[in-house]
Amino acid sequence: MTKNPIRLPPLQKLRVRNPNKREPNPCLTIMSSVLACWASAGHTGRACNTVEDALRACMDAPKPPPKPSNTINYHLQRLSSKLIKQASKNK
């Protein structure tokens, strides 16, 4: 007894939603701390020096190398013409 393969319904679009997620800036939280300190103590006060130094160190640190982007949508687009041709032949 042979089993028929399971057939998937036809897809209108072959696309994955936004596979490339941006990573948040690591200095953003320190910058908001500096702005909050300036708002409470004034921008000329010495109370914010440690937070300002932490922000300078964060901004001067080398950036990590960028991650390679995900190419799944490119490959789906490239293969879609072959999949559509095969689907039209099977009808």
Side-chain angles (χ1 to χ4, degrees):
M1 185 167 150
T2 61
K3 292 185 178 180
N4 291 336
I6 298 173
R7 295 196 183 263
L8 297 174
L11 298 173
Q12 292 179 357
K13 293 181 183 178
L14 291 176
R15 187 162 178 87
V16 177
R17 288 186 186 166
N18 198 7
N20 302 322
K21 300 285 183 186
R22 295 182 105 192
E23 293 190 20
N25 188 347
C27 299
L28 190 62
T29 56
I30 300 172
M31 184 183 297
S32 64
S33 299
V34 168
L35 292 174
C37 185
W38 284 347
S40 64
H43 68 280
T44 57
R46 294 182 185 257
C48 302
N49 283 345
T50 57
V51 183
E52 290 173 6
D53 292 337
L55 179 63
R56 282 190 196 98
C58 182
M59 296 299 281
D60 292 339
K63 291 177 102 176
K67 292 183 179 178
S69 63
N70 195 335
T71 59
I72 189 165
N73 285 327
Y74 167 75
H75 291 294
L76 286 173
Q77 180 185 7
R78 191 171 58 90
L79 297 173
S80 67
S81 62
K82 293 180 182 180
L83 291 174
I84 293 171
K85 286 180 186 176
Q86 287 178 355
S88 64
K89 285 181 183 179
N90 292 337
K91 286 184 179 180

